[in-house]
Amino acid sequence: MSVKLVSQVSFSLALLLTIQLAIAKGPTAKPSCTDHCGNIDIPYPFGMGEKDCYFNEWFEIECNESRAFISKIKMELLNISVEGWANVKSPIISSDCSDWVSDLPFNLTGSPFFISDYNVFTAVGCNTRALMINQSLQRLGCDSKCLSHKKDVDWRQMLPNFIEEDSSSNYLIANDYCNGTDCCQVKIPSSLQVFNASFQAINNQSTDGCKLAFLAGTYPGNSWRKKDPNVQFPMVLDWMLYSNRTESYNWIINSSLWSGNNSESESLACFPDGSSSINEAAVFWCYCRRGYEGNPYIRCTGTEDQQPPQ
């Protein structure tokens, strides 16, 4: 039996804008800790150097020639935010592609990182069924067919078409480029932690041609600001302090950051984003309330031009 999984955006763009304005100012790293790697901001709970600069080993950042990597999961950072998301370079899994070395799959199980449902699963190839999930009760993927007797695709020409430039010269992922001919796309559910795409033939047809599968996405208002000449794609990871929502919530409540009672804090607000039955894995994230600024995982301070809400 196959179950079709459909994800929905769980909070509005208006709320995102409010959060971005609230945390736009103030220090984001701990005192005496480096807050940049190249042009990438490194906010706490992420950090580099001394162990006190990052929350735990999952959040340690390695800076190598101005390129930032999440050390524990070995993924390169493109952008990161205290709002509970990070853009990393997506692995591209391939088969039978000349001049292309397939990236390795990944498994984030046990970590505080999750594949965001802002990503789109994309497959390129002829007469190919690409599967992201292939289990007894769950199957998620899409079919990519080619017209006539075509047996291969020109991935060098096709991949750049997945990247769009907006009016501000930022780059976005085109999530409506594919219609099932030469490539296909499908939205993914939330709280997944494993990516190991597989390929199957459709109707026993030959699948000797090049086949690619990858995840890509950006949050609204936080596009990819550099076009990679090697055509890599940004993948969105959601994160929280611990691998489950309950522990993350308890840490915030018991910390000195929470100014108020157990139901509400004056300075910061935290929310579970989305729903999942996987280890309560829907992401739990925090931000400084309107009238405050800074990093909710260090301290939210009242702004000078706004009075804190009563």
Side-chain angles (χ1 to χ4, degrees):
M1 180 176 67
S2 176
V3 177
K4 184 178 180 181
L5 300 172
V6 180
S7 61
Q8 295 181 340
V9 175
S10 56
F11 49 86
S12 67
L13 294 179
L15 177 58
L16 267 178
L17 179 60
T18 299
I19 296 169
Q20 290 162 1
L21 291 173
I23 68 170
K25 301 177 182 179
T28 59
K30 279 193 168 184
S32 303
C33 295
T34 304
D35 62 358
H36 282 80
C37 175
N39 61 356
I40 300 174
D41 294 333
I42 309 296
Y44 189 81
F46 296 85
M48 299 175 287
E50 298 296 328
K51 289 186 177 181
D52 188 54
C53 288
Y54 47 89
F55 184 71
N56 59 33
E57 61 182 4
W58 290 109
F59 295 92
E60 181 181 7
I61 300 299
E62 177 185 351
C63 189
N64 186 358
E65 297 180 353
S66 298
R67 295 169 64 192
F69 297 83
I70 304 177
S71 181
K72 184 80 171 176
I73 61 176
K74 303 184 185 335
M75 286 187 169
E76 183 173 354
L77 272 173
L78 302 172
N79 199 3
I80 194 169
S81 171
V82 293
E83 296 170 38
W85 60 266
N87 276 342
V88 298
K89 279 193 175 181
S90 174
I92 299 178
I93 295 179
S94 65
S95 177
D96 299 321
C97 297
S98 60
D99 300 326
W100 185 280
V101 178
S102 179
D103 293 316
L104 296 175
F106 64 83
N107 189 333
L108 304 175
T109 302
S111 81
F113 300 101
F114 303 86
I115 302 170
S116 171
D117 58 8
Y118 268 88
N119 294 296
V120 174
F121 177 68
T122 300
V124 175
C126 287
N127 308 315
T128 298
R129 174 167 295 145
L131 296 172
M132 181 177 170
I133 300 175
N134 187 15
Q135 300 171 354
S136 58
L137 295 179
Q138 294 182 350
R139 179 169 292 181
L140 176 70
C142 60
D143 291 352
S144 178
K145 302 178 181 179
C146 293
L147 299 177
S148 188
H149 298 291
K150 181 179 177 182
K151 295 182 179 180
D152 205 354
V153 294
D154 187 348
W155 59 265
R156 296 173 184 84
Q157 181 179 10
M158 182 174 292
L159 289 187
N161 295 328
F162 290 100
I163 303 173
E164 298 178 330
E165 185 175 1
D166 67 12
S167 58
S168 301
S169 297
N170 294 327
Y171 295 97
L172 302 166
I173 294 301
N175 59 9
D176 57 357
Y177 173 73
C178 295
N179 61 6
T181 300
D182 295 343
C183 62
C184 61
Q185 292 178 310
V186 63
K187 291 184 177 180
I188 67 171
S190 62
S191 300
L192 297 179
Q193 291 187 292
V194 178
F195 180 61
N196 187 9
S198 61
F199 305 99
Q200 297 178 356
I202 299 176
N203 298 328
N204 296 318
Q205 298 184 59
S206 172
T207 58
D208 294 335
C210 175
K211 299 172 285 293
L212 300 168
F214 57 90
L215 293 166
T218 51
Y219 273 134
N222 291 282
S223 60
W224 197 22
R225 289 174 174 81
K226 180 181 178 182
K227 190 172 184 178
D228 193 316
N230 297 317
V231 197
Q232 287 282 339
F233 297 98
M235 175 179 66
V236 182
L237 291 182
D238 291 328
W239 60 264
M240 53 187 170
L241 293 177
Y242 291 97
S243 59
N244 68 73
R245 188 170 57 200
T246 300
E247 284 187 80
S248 300
Y249 170 81
N250 287 340
W251 187 91
I252 286 289
I253 290 295
N254 295 326
S255 73
S256 59
L257 304 172
W258 193 263
S259 58
N261 56 42
N262 282 356
S263 62
E264 188 173 354
S265 170
E266 290 182 356
S267 59
L268 65 89
C270 299
F271 293 95
D273 176 27
S275 60
S276 172
S277 60
I278 309 173
N279 297 325
E280 294 187 331
V283 176
F284 177 83
W285 52 279
C286 301
Y287 69 93
C288 296
R289 289 184 180 276
R290 182 178 293 276
Y292 292 85
E293 63 184 26
N295 183 333
Y297 299 99
I298 298 176
R299 187 185 177 192
C300 295
T301 58
T303 60
E304 296 179 356
D305 58 337
Q306 283 184 297
Q307 293 296 318
Q310 300 298 319

